[in-house]
Amino acid sequence: MRAFNSLNRVGASSLSNEIASGAIFFAVGGIGWLLAVTNKLSCALRSLWLVVTMVLAWSSCG
């Protein structure tokens, strides 16, 4: 019930930062997957989307 309270201190708490960056990474990755499956992106935009997703994955690790 209180899991969303962990996001109250984004920027100040390491756990909050990790949860927020992981959620953003999974959201961007999921949207990219959905767009790839439905063929809504061109090849160039798909490559750009993958680069953005990779950068988010790298930032959520550190």
Side-chain angles (χ1 to χ4, degrees):
M1 293 292 282
R2 296 177 52 177
F4 287 110
N5 288 339
S6 64
L7 295 174
N8 287 342
R9 295 188 41 134
V10 172
S13 170
S14 296
L15 181 61
S16 296
N17 294 340
E18 184 177 352
I19 291 170
S21 64
I24 291 170
F25 163 69
F26 280 111
V28 170
I31 291 169
W33 173 82
L34 183 63
L35 292 173
V37 167
T38 58
N39 291 323
K40 299 287 184 183
L41 289 177
S42 67
C43 186
L45 285 176
R46 189 177 308 155
S47 296
L48 178 63
W49 195 279
L50 288 174
V51 169
V52 169
T53 305
M54 288 188 293
V55 169
L56 288 172
W58 179 77
S59 69
S60 67
C61 291

